[in-house]
Amino acid sequence: MPLDPADLTARLIRCPSVTPAEGGALTLLQAELEAAGFDCTRVDRNGTANLFARWGAKGANRSFGFNGHTDVVPPGDAADWRFAPFSGTVAEGRIWGRGACDMKSGVAAFAAAAVDFVRETPPDGAVILAITGDEEGDATDGTVALLDWMTRQGERMTHCLVGEPTCPSIMGEMMKNGRRGSMTARITAQGVQGHSAYPHRARNPLPALVTLLDRLARHDLDQGTALFDPSTLALTTIDTGNTASNVIPAQARAALNIRFNNLHSGASLTAWIQAEAARVQAETGVDIAVSVKVSGESFVTEPGWFTDLVADAVEAECDHRPVLSTSGGTSDARFIKDHCPVVEFGLVGATMHKTDEMVEVAHVHQLKAVYRRILERYFAA
């Protein structure tokens, strides 16, 4: 009997797997996959739950992989939801609940497609599912842990599809063949506290910090490339913690986030920020410290056989040929790109992370059909 992806989605939503809690979601998937003949291994690390599942021989000539996550962001106030956020209610042709869109439905669709495929047409090769519980968190012990474990065990995907939502408004309109890089810089300006009536006896860190932020924000990073939109820099916070209007604070802090294309790297942008900070420090006498966390570098999977195979399957099932895009935020594809060629295709993402998150039942079945067609074409090639 075919595995119903909509029913599996609803059951997964009923697992309260808010990062970093597993909530029973991976346990549920493991039971379904093992019943279909998949070899499953829990690859938990530092309290994060992950699941590796493989049908077929280890080290097979061809191993198609799916990647996704079962962890979800917090639902907020449950009273604001039409249906309880972990109820998995099916109503009005939709499945409601936290994770319905991002991305328990995607995981359910590729799990159902993989189960039916290996049962009905066992391929010459392997099908791998790498599912994490740490995508919405720090992402240090999720897909990274799975890939580390796979390397130690000699497991390998030859190609991988990440099932994140990729379509802005219509099923089939967009797939991702790359992502921008992402980094956060935290800046601390250290001066000397003093009375606002005697500013010459203090060293105010705020003008120095504001000068630096203005220079960074006004800088034109680039105009984009053939594969990427222009890079962006967003100031996200400025803090002093000063509640007194007659006191010059000793310290001020700020943070910014940069989404960057392939004209830059995390290292080059870090060097630029540090150089600008050093200039302002020299001009003002205010000590400025910069700390940077690079969440991922930009990457692209070049258009070709693999992207065409996925696009052809999407077009056949959705009547839309997806455009290739590198827009949006980050995903775990940023880790997989060092392991094998990777693309992303999934559902319409309009309600992800929102109150009353939901997914169309018909779209979940459609997505399963896309994934099934991709598997059939991949192993027939």
Side-chain angles (χ1 to χ4, degrees):
M1 184 176 180
L3 183 55
D4 184 341
D7 173 69
L8 182 55
T9 297
R11 285 188 283 146
L12 286 171
I13 291 170
R14 293 175 193 130
C15 300
S17 52
V18 176
T19 310
E22 186 269 334
L26 294 181
T27 301
L28 169 59
L29 287 167
Q30 182 170 348
E32 291 287 356
L33 293 167
E34 286 181 339
F38 281 78
D39 291 323
C40 294
T41 303
R42 283 286 292 270
V43 187
D44 297 3
R45 189 168 81 179
N46 293 331
T48 293
N50 304 294
L51 178 66
F52 174 87
R54 172 178 40 79
W55 185 96
K58 178 179 177 180
N61 215 25
R62 289 182 295 178
S63 298
F64 190 89
F66 288 102
N67 170 260
H69 64 93
T70 54
D71 63 314
V72 298
V73 298
D77 189 346
D80 293 335
W81 289 67
R82 289 184 60 196
F83 305 98
F86 296 109
S87 65
T89 298
V90 181
E92 302 169 1
R94 299 167 178 148
I95 311 167
W96 302 79
R98 177 58 82 224
C101 176
D102 184 19
M103 61 165 287
K104 290 182 174 180
S105 49
V107 171
F110 68 60
V115 164
D116 289 358
F117 177 65
V118 300
R119 279 174 170 165
E120 296 167 14
T121 54
D124 178 18
V127 178
I128 290 174
L129 277 61
I131 307 170
T132 178
D134 187 35
E135 198 272 348
E136 301 289 7
D138 291 336
T140 54
D141 294 303
T143 293
V144 173
L146 283 163
L147 294 171
D148 289 346
W149 179 87
M150 289 172 66
T151 298
R152 293 194 301 270
Q153 298 296 319
E155 299 277 4
R156 186 157 190 87
M157 301 177 287
T158 49
H159 291 83
C160 184
L161 189 151
V162 178
E164 288 278 2
T166 59
C167 299
S169 57
I170 300 170
M171 274 294 289
E173 66 182 315
M174 182 179 289
M175 59 184 281
K176 307 285 187 180
N177 67 318
R179 291 280 187 165
R180 297 178 297 174
S182 176
M183 61 182 285
T184 295
R186 300 189 182 279
I187 301 169
T188 301
Q190 184 68 48
V192 176
Q193 183 176 323
H195 197 299
S196 61
Y198 306 98
H200 58 286
R201 296 176 181 172
R203 187 176 299 117
N204 195 335
L206 283 168
L209 181 63
V210 170
T211 296
L212 174 59
L213 296 178
D214 182 61
R215 290 180 185 179
L216 296 175
R218 287 178 179 273
H219 181 73
D220 186 7
L221 288 168
D222 57 72
Q223 297 300 308
T225 70
L227 298 172
F228 288 90
D229 292 336
S231 301
T232 61
L233 183 153
L235 302 178
T236 56
T237 185
I238 302 174
D239 304 292
T240 65
N242 186 11
T243 59
S245 62
N246 61 346
V247 175
I248 293 171
Q251 188 181 87
R253 297 168 302 281
L256 58 89
N257 181 261
I258 302 177
R259 301 301 170 111
F260 57 94
N261 59 35
N262 55 347
L263 294 175
H264 310 275
S265 68
S268 69
L269 290 167
T270 297
W272 165 62
I273 295 170
Q274 289 175 334
E276 292 293 338
R279 290 189 188 96
V280 173
Q281 177 172 310
E283 294 167 5
T284 64
V286 171
D287 293 330
I288 300 178
V290 177
S291 66
V292 174
K293 179 180 179 180
V294 179
S295 301
E297 301 287 346
S298 66
F299 75 93
V300 66
T301 298
E302 293 291 340
W305 172 81
F306 182 40
T307 58
D308 286 346
L309 182 147
V310 174
D312 288 346
V314 172
E315 185 175 20
E317 295 293 341
C318 301
D319 296 324
H320 290 280
R321 188 163 189 85
V323 298
L324 297 178
S325 173
T326 58
S327 62
T330 59
S331 76
D332 280 358
R334 70 188 188 273
F335 307 124
I336 298 168
K337 54 93 174 173
D338 294 325
H339 178 91
C340 68
V342 58
V343 297
E344 302 174 58
F345 178 75
L347 293 162
V348 174
T351 65
M352 56 183 172
H353 293 203
K354 291 185 175 182
T355 300
D356 290 334
E357 183 178 354
M358 60 81 180
V359 64
E360 302 280 347
V361 171
H363 287 177
V364 181
H365 286 281
Q366 195 173 27
L367 186 61
K368 175 187 174 181
V370 170
Y371 292 155
R372 172 67 183 265
R373 188 178 288 268
I374 289 170
L375 288 169
E376 290 171 347
R377 294 189 177 191
Y378 184 82
F379 287 102

